[in-house]
Amino acid sequence: MELTQNRQVLSALHKTAELTQPDEIVWIDGSEAQLDALRALAVESGDLIPLNEEKLPGCYLARSNPNDVARVEDRTFICSRTREEAGPTNNWMDPDEMRGILHGILAGSMRGRTMYVIPYSMGPVGSEFAKYGIELTDSVYVVLNMAIMTRVGKDVLDAMGDSADFIFGVHAMCELDPEKRYIVHFPEENRIVSVNSNYGGNVLQGKKCFSLRIASVLGRNEGWLAEHMLILGIQNPQGEIRYVTGAFPSACGKTNLAMLIPPEGYRKNGWKCWTVGDDIAWLRPGKDGRLWAVNPENGFFGVAPGTSEKSNPNALASTSRDTIFTNVVLNEDDRTVWWEGMTKTPPEGRLVNWKGEPWDGSDGTKGAHPNSRFTAPARNCPCISPEFESGTAVPISAIIFGGRRAKTAPLVYQSRDWAHGVFVGATMASETTAAAVGAVGVVRRDPMAMRPFCGYNMADYWQHWLDMEQVLPNAPKIFNVNWFRTDEEGHFLWPGFGDNLRVLEWILKRCFDEADADVTPIGFVPKPEDINLDGTDVTRDTLREILSLDAASWRENCAGIREYFEQFGERLPASLRADLEALEAAFAE
Ligand code: GTP
Ligand code: SPV
Ligand code: MN
């Protein structure tokens, strides 16, 4: 039975059904009973493996096709009307040409299968900032993951009513053929199509496809920002909660910072952190001229490897029930899961690696895929912020950009002002990770951590950021951090994780005029005595080293930025060009 009378929804649905020819159409109503039945179906088909009901209640393991383990950036397209609109950092194809290709792939693709209709909401249903989507999919795995990551069900359709204001998406698994894999966005039509994949950000369309690529275009048109950012509330001993957002590229520490546990000394003094979001922030100017943030998601699609009781106990607690694990190690003896970095060595027992093969770690291979993930409900997180569930926006004091840089970027610095902060974000670079298919550890430019997620011309996106200053008389201060500076042997010089609060403390002090700084060509750098090192084994000399600027590597950085900026031609905002020239002059030999 159709769960809505919305004519746009029904017509899009019927057209897709005619093309893909599913045997059956099932509407996702959001009830536990229906989700339970789908879990049982997935267990029966072997798509999900039920885990230990006592140790991991409601949890399942999924294994993806080994050719389908991460986002595929080279097969992700922004099909705006013109190539210029998509810009030089996006793949583009003429929308009609792409429609033709997809039509061919989708035709008959759901024969013998069921098409699920997922009505979903980004943000609490009916809340001020919520936006709605429909994803049609032939994957039960996608339904069950979307039911964790977003709010799904009939109440979304009720809230939509007759409105045509929704994002429409189609996902078909097809043969999981990597040659025919396409993740396509039609920003002018609010439409998404994913084919031949069944993995993460490729197919859970509420996440990167809608909430970043499409929403970034909506944000430009409507005067707000859709960003690849965590949102964190930091409560000081006086009981005040100040909020920051952080944009780090994929697998560079957002989830970890979002769930930060203060170091012991801080905890004793009454510091506490609250998670509002770990991956996506929608940012809007408020009447008070401040920037306000909401997290449109409802769960965490987090990187498993490296998550441990020591590094991120809140993430681990979030996965203690009602979680889907993808591509991790299964312990067949007690039906629990494991991944590299959970404990020093794999557990005892009959272990099976992410490909489903017997594994004991002795051959040097990894048991879990480096981009293995958990899909966990946000409500499980012990430090979830009350503002998360209410969907109330939180006011942002600081925006923090950051990346993985073995050298060059110091532990932390502050931009001179908003426009210079946009330059700092626009010139971010980071070593690539396993979150996307391709080489790992190569330094690439990743502006605002949005290189794979900006749905329009990156130069116009920077201009939009610059324009936001006009409506933000009380704009957040903008910072850059780098937790990943290494010594000659490649060891991290900064302990990271909970100890990052020491840096956040300085950042917040700067926002409230409570700390001094050194003026440098790249911006304001902390005086080494102003970062609290009590309770760490970091020496003042090490800190001095990771705050230092090496002129030669900054000259090299400037050359890289200049080359990167070239591709935007006349569209590059003048202030970014001027900031680059000033930086070059400051480091000139
Ligand atoms: P996406 O979900 O892909 O967007 O990733 P993310 O930005 O949320 O990254 P996440 O927090 O999952 O961290 C990815 C990896 O970075 C993990 O292996 C962490 O252990 C590691 N990491 C996170 N924070 C730190 C830190 O402060 N220092 C160091 N050295 N490693 C860190
Ligand atoms: C990322 O790659 O930034 C992720 C994982 O958060 S995915 O959902 O696959 O995009
Ligand atoms: Mn991400």
Side-chain angles (χ1 to χ4, degrees):
M1 199 189 71
E2 286 166 347
L3 292 189
T4 182
Q5 247 100 72
N6 184 308
R7 272 189 293 155
Q8 276 85 3
V9 171
L10 293 179
S11 126
L13 165 67
H14 293 148
K15 267 193 210 143
T16 308
E18 228 165 85
L19 176 64
T20 59
Q21 301 187 8
D23 280 9
E24 205 188 339
I25 297 177
V26 171
W27 290 74
I28 299 303
D29 60 22
S31 68
E32 248 339 280
Q34 187 185 40
L35 293 174
D36 264 341
L38 288 172
R39 287 180 201 112
L41 192 67
V43 168
E44 202 183 310
S45 70
D47 288 348
L48 290 184
I49 298 169
L51 297 171
N52 188 308
E53 258 308 316
E54 263 155 48
K55 295 181 179 168
L56 293 167
C59 293
Y60 296 85
L61 169 67
R63 297 194 187 109
S64 71
N65 187 304
N67 81 26
D68 188 29
V69 292
R71 283 183 295 99
V72 279
E73 296 181 1
D74 61 334
R75 307 206 59 91
T76 298
F77 287 79
I78 303 295
C79 292
S80 30
R81 262 183 294 264
T82 65
R83 183 188 292 276
E84 289 63 43
E85 186 61 17
T89 58
N90 281 313
N91 300 312
W92 177 85
M93 199 187 284
D94 174 77
D96 285 332
E97 191 183 340
M98 181 58 91
R99 256 190 291 274
I101 293 177
L102 295 175
H103 199 274
I105 295 175
L106 285 170
S109 64
M110 296 191 189
R111 234 172 257 152
R113 305 177 60 82
T114 300
M115 179 166 86
Y116 298 94
V117 184
I118 315 175
Y120 65 95
S121 174
M122 301 317 298
V125 180
S127 71
E128 197 182 347
F129 304 124
K131 290 195 179 280
Y132 305 125
I134 302 282
E135 178 169 355
L136 309 182
T137 179
D138 60 354
S139 163
V140 178
Y141 175 82
V142 165
V143 173
L144 295 174
N145 276 273
M146 284 289 285
I148 298 173
M149 294 306 297
T150 73
R151 284 98 173 160
V152 304
K154 178 157 190 323
D155 53 346
V156 177
L157 293 168
D158 294 343
M160 274 168 58
D162 293 331
S163 169
D165 185 13
F166 62 90
I167 308 298
F168 179 72
V170 178
H171 164 237
M173 286 165 63
C174 307
E175 289 81 42
L176 298 180
D177 179 353
E179 306 289 316
K180 293 189 192 151
R181 191 166 290 158
Y182 288 95
I183 317 303
V184 185
H185 309 72
F186 300 95
E188 282 113 358
E189 294 159 41
N190 286 339
R191 214 178 147 91
I192 306 162
V193 180
S194 316
V195 290
N196 278 296
S197 174
N198 197 35
Y199 190 84
N202 293 333
V203 298
L204 307 178
Q205 292 182 344
K207 200 170 179 58
K208 299 303 172 36
C209 302
F210 178 162
S211 292
L212 291 178
R213 297 195 191 96
I214 297 284
S216 61
V217 176
L218 299 176
R220 175 194 51 184
N221 298 342
E222 298 167 6
W224 53 281
L225 294 164
E227 297 297 328
H228 192 201
M229 288 179 176
L230 69 99
I231 311 168
L232 170 68
I234 302 158
Q235 182 173 335
N236 65 20
Q238 292 76 50
E240 298 155 333
I241 306 179
R242 294 164 171 181
Y243 296 90
V244 303
T245 62
F248 313 152
S250 301
C252 289
K254 289 181 301 300
T255 301
N256 278 274
L257 194 69
M259 299 183 185
L260 181 146
I261 294 186
E264 201 187 335
Y266 280 76
R267 276 203 309 277
K268 277 207 189 111
N269 289 336
W271 290 80
K272 182 161 179 21
C273 289
W274 299 97
T275 307
V276 183
D278 82 321
D279 199 53
I280 294 174
W282 285 354
L283 304 166
R284 290 177 179 79
K287 290 195 186 70
D288 59 359
R290 289 193 288 176
L291 189 63
W292 294 74
V294 295
N295 167 16
E297 298 194 278
N298 199 26
F300 310 119
F301 187 64
V303 177
T307 307
S308 72
E309 205 47 73
K310 191 162 170 282
S311 68
N312 194 347
N314 285 323
L316 215 52
S318 303
T319 67
S320 62
R321 58 185 312 129
D322 306 324
T323 293
I324 298 172
F325 299 92
T326 302
N327 292 342
V328 300
V329 174
L330 172 68
N331 184 345
E332 285 195 319
D333 282 352
D334 65 353
R335 284 186 299 121
T336 55
V337 289
W338 186 83
W339 48 75
E340 277 69 21
M342 180 194 265
T343 52
K344 274 214 178 70
T345 50
E348 296 291 314
R350 285 175 302 149
L351 305 184
V352 178
N353 72 9
W354 68 275
K355 292 180 182 168
E357 306 156 344
W359 177 87
D360 62 8
S362 62
D363 61 354
T365 60
K366 288 197 178 358
H369 188 276
N371 190 38
S372 54
R373 299 259 168 179
F374 52 80
T375 318
R379 62 166 187 273
N380 284 358
C381 180
C383 56
I384 195 74
S385 158
E387 276 70 27
F388 163 78
E389 198 44 55
S390 66
T392 315
V394 296
I396 300 304
S397 299
I399 292 172
I400 306 169
F401 294 118
R404 269 176 203 267
R405 295 302 294 272
K407 302 271 172 281
T408 317
L411 178 63
V412 57
Y413 64 101
Q414 181 188 355
S415 69
R416 285 187 289 277
D417 50 38
W418 179 268
H420 179 242
V422 175
F423 175 77
V424 169
T427 57
M428 270 168 67
S430 192
E431 291 154 26
T432 50
T433 67
V437 172
V440 168
V442 182
V443 174
R444 74 160 183 185
R445 299 274 147 201
D446 191 348
M448 282 84 170
M450 283 288 278
R451 202 218 76 105
F453 308 120
C454 183
Y456 60 106
N457 193 306
M458 189 68 82
D460 299 352
Y461 165 78
W462 293 330
Q463 188 60 54
H464 179 48
W465 262 84
L466 291 164
D467 292 343
M468 290 296 287
E469 189 180 12
Q470 254 88 82
V471 287
L472 293 172
N474 299 310
K477 304 280 187 277
I478 300 180
F479 298 79
N480 192 87
V481 299
N482 178 19
W483 315 135
F484 300 92
R485 278 274 277 250
T486 55
D487 63 16
E488 298 308 316
E489 279 96 56
H491 300 121
F492 293 122
L493 287 162
W494 177 251
F497 301 100
D499 287 308
N500 292 333
L501 183 58
R502 301 167 188 281
V503 174
L504 296 178
E505 184 185 16
W506 181 80
I507 286 176
L508 287 173
K509 281 186 177 161
R510 289 293 297 170
C511 295
F512 293 87
D513 289 327
E514 296 159 3
D516 213 349
D518 286 331
V519 180
T520 79
I522 67 167
F524 303 109
V525 174
K527 294 181 179 297
E529 62 273 21
D530 284 347
I531 302 245
N532 176 10
L533 296 177
D534 296 349
T536 68
D537 44 22
V538 180
T539 65
R540 240 0 109 180
D541 276 342
T542 302
L543 181 62
R544 223 167 263 129
E545 187 185 336
I546 50 182
L547 289 174
S548 68
L549 306 179
D550 175 54
S553 44
W554 275 90
R555 268 193 292 280
E556 205 180 304
N557 197 29
C558 286
I561 297 170
R562 179 161 283 278
E563 192 191 324
Y564 185 71
F565 277 179
E566 287 303 324
Q567 63 185 316
F568 300 99
E570 289 305 304
R571 267 178 130 111
L572 183 75
S575 86
L576 297 187
R577 198 182 301 276
D579 277 323
L580 173 59
E581 280 162 12
L583 195 63
E584 286 171 332
F587 284 111
E589 273 177 293

